[in-house]
Amino acid sequence: MITQSQESLEMLVMVSRLLSSKLDISELLTTIMRLASRVVGAERASLYLLDEKTQELYFDVALGLPEDVQKMRFKLGEGIAGTCAKESRSIIINDVASDPRHSKKADSKSGYVTRSLLTCPMIIKGKAIGVVQAINKSDGDFSDTDKNSFEAFASQAAIAIENSRLFSSVKEEKRKMEIVFKRIKEGAILTDVAGDIIILNNSAKTYLEHDKYKFTNIKNAFSDFETKPGIDAVLSREEAVSRLELYREKPKKFYLDCSAIKLFKEDKDGNSTVEGRLWILSDVTAQRIEEHMARNFLSLISHKFKTPLACINGYAQILRDEAAAKEMPDLVLKSSETIYGQGQKLNTLVESLLDFVTIDGLEAASLEKIEFDAADFLGEIAADMKERLKAVEGLNIKIAAPDTVMVKADRKLLAGAMRSLIENAVKFNPGRDKLVILSTQARDSHTLISVGDNGPGIPGEELDNIFHKFYQVEAAFTGQVEGWG
């Protein structure tokens, strides 16, 4: 008995090693079939897997069975195998002919005579995923010792099958991800937390000349580029998504817009930790060159307009004043006032254009940041805009600043931005009563300053476009309002 138990133990150890070395599901199932009969000294073995959708058992591997037998399926509760799977318990039958549960479908089609059966469920997480069956004990009857050994084997087989399925699933998902990863137009780089590159697609290889430099770390990948902000600053940021721009002067100007996206994983307690980053690279060279040319052009025409406009406005003012003083005909007086008014409007637009060119070319280091009280600032803006827009009927500008909030910003530039927002709030409001509310509050260690109004608002589909330069919502919505956008 001791010798038999020792042999069974040695057999199970060998089986465990063999099963744990197989990850390919087809090879694993064939190995299980070949080993199952040896574990308990049976003539042959069968392996059924459970189809989760139909709740039927089927032969995934059927060694030596006719084709029509291999296609057979058994419902849960049908035959010994179906009963074993349904009840999730092992069954020993040493006289199959006298057991009414035995289904003779397989024997009748294969011509094989089944005398005895040892059937064990393969269970994972309390659910049967299939059944393994030893057929016809070679010497004597199946015993409880055989059952214990076969249950241990079935348990190892179930774990091996589950691991193989998980491996196959991960492998398939990896294959799909690689296909998508390689086919997307933008450059894509996957790195670990330290910045070491795991995989990069063909676009990224082309942009960064991977075949030439053979880099393995993201810092080395960007070594030929000027990065704003620096790569070390991006790697140390807490934000989930960071933006940076890469620029290379030679052999030709080349601009890349980059988004660095943190990838998280959850532990068993639900805590998230960073496991890497996905870097998305977009070629924006044409866009940046076009913007540079447009900025230069706008700057040029703005300065060229200033001198003739100064002359036009100066003489228009003289004509208007002379016409009024000498009581000239109404046509002359009205014409001179129109010329002067339109000249002033054009002068305002040119000044706005010059401000845009100046602001668009600003670097962060050139901002004149000072700390000031947000409520006082909004009060000054409101007073200034009431004076500027005094001709607008029904205008009411209110301030909502219940708490003292300090702001650190370039006050002059922020004031210009606020004026533009208020002008738009008034300009695009078709109602007779135009309400504008300026508010401020502290939020998440930052200061929130907002401009609200009782106008029609901005359609949801347009929100992503409002920061595009010179963009204006279609005329049918805005009422064809004058302005640069």
Side-chain angles (χ1 to χ4, degrees), residues 80-366:
I80 303 298
T83 302
C84 173
K86 184 178 181 180
E87 299 177 359
S88 294
R89 65 179 181 88
S90 301
I91 299 174
I92 297 177
I93 302 177
N94 284 310
D95 184 10
V96 166
S98 63
D99 195 307
R101 293 172 298 178
H102 176 56
S103 173
K104 298 180 174 59
K105 287 195 300 184
D107 284 2
S108 62
K109 289 188 177 183
S110 66
Y112 185 79
V113 178
T114 301
R115 300 187 305 275
S116 57
L117 287 171
L118 171 54
T119 311
C120 291
M122 295 184 290
I123 299 174
I124 288 290
K125 297 178 182 178
K127 290 180 61 179
I129 63 169
V131 167
V132 63
Q133 202 170 56
I135 305 171
N136 294 348
K137 178 77 171 177
S138 299
D139 183 17
D141 294 335
F142 289 116
S143 64
D144 286 340
T145 301
D146 291 328
K147 180 170 78 84
N148 293 336
S149 297
F150 209 49
E151 284 178 343
F153 170 77
S155 177
Q156 292 173 341
I159 294 170
I161 290 171
E162 183 70 6
N163 288 340
S164 179
R165 285 175 170 175
L166 289 173
F167 175 76
S168 298
S169 176
V170 170
K171 190 176 179 181
E172 177 61 17
E173 289 302 317
K174 181 175 181 289
R175 186 188 70 83
K176 291 178 181 177
M177 188 190 76
E178 286 179 347
I179 291 173
V180 174
F181 204 69
K182 290 177 180 178
R183 289 186 179 180
I184 59 175
K185 182 180 178 182
E186 290 80 8
I189 306 173
L190 185 64
T191 67
D192 61 17
V193 177
D196 291 327
I197 295 172
I198 300 171
I199 185 174
L200 70 167
N201 70 353
N202 293 331
S203 295
K205 290 179 180 179
T206 301
Y207 291 158
L208 305 174
E209 299 182 272
H210 179 263
D211 292 340
K212 178 179 178 181
Y213 296 108
K214 304 294 183 184
F215 48 79
T216 57
N217 187 279
I218 198 68
K219 291 183 180 180
N220 299 330
F222 297 160
S223 60
D224 274 1
F225 292 80
E226 293 180 23
T227 59
K228 294 181 182 181
I231 188 67
D232 289 324
V234 172
L235 290 173
S236 61
R237 281 182 175 175
E238 296 295 327
E239 292 89 343
V241 180
S242 300
R243 297 290 299 274
L244 65 155
E245 184 160 292
L246 297 98
Y247 169 66
R248 186 186 67 202
E249 178 71 27
K250 295 180 179 180
K252 68 172 187 175
K253 291 183 178 179
F254 185 42
Y255 294 84
L256 288 172
D257 182 74
C258 177
S259 296
I261 306 166
K262 285 185 178 179
L263 303 176
F264 296 90
K265 65 177 179 180
E266 286 190 359
D267 59 21
K268 60 182 180 181
D269 298 321
N271 300 315
S272 296
T273 56
V274 180
E275 63 174 346
R277 283 181 175 83
L278 177 63
W279 306 74
I280 303 296
L281 304 170
S282 300
D283 182 359
V284 292
T285 304
Q287 181 182 339
R288 294 292 181 268
I289 291 175
E290 183 179 329
E291 289 174 357
H292 182 71
M293 292 173 64
R295 195 159 52 240
N296 288 344
F297 174 71
L298 292 175
S299 178
L300 177 64
I301 63 170
S302 299
H303 284 95
K304 293 294 184 183
F305 278 174
K306 288 205 71 176
T307 300
L309 267 177
C311 294
I312 293 170
N313 288 333
Y315 283 111
Q317 185 175 3
I318 293 171
L319 287 172
R320 185 196 64 175
D321 295 344
E322 284 292 312
K326 295 180 179 180
E327 298 182 356
M328 291 184 178
D330 289 344
L331 178 61
V332 175
L333 181 60
K334 188 174 181 180
S335 298
S336 62
E337 287 178 346
T338 301
I339 293 170
Y340 178 73
Q342 293 300 316
Q344 289 297 312
K345 185 178 290 185
L346 184 57
N347 188 66
T348 301
L349 291 174
V350 170
E351 290 291 341
S352 299
L353 192 55
L354 281 171
D355 287 343
F356 164 76
V357 172
T358 302
I359 293 170
D360 196 45
L362 278 178
E363 298 287 343
S366 63

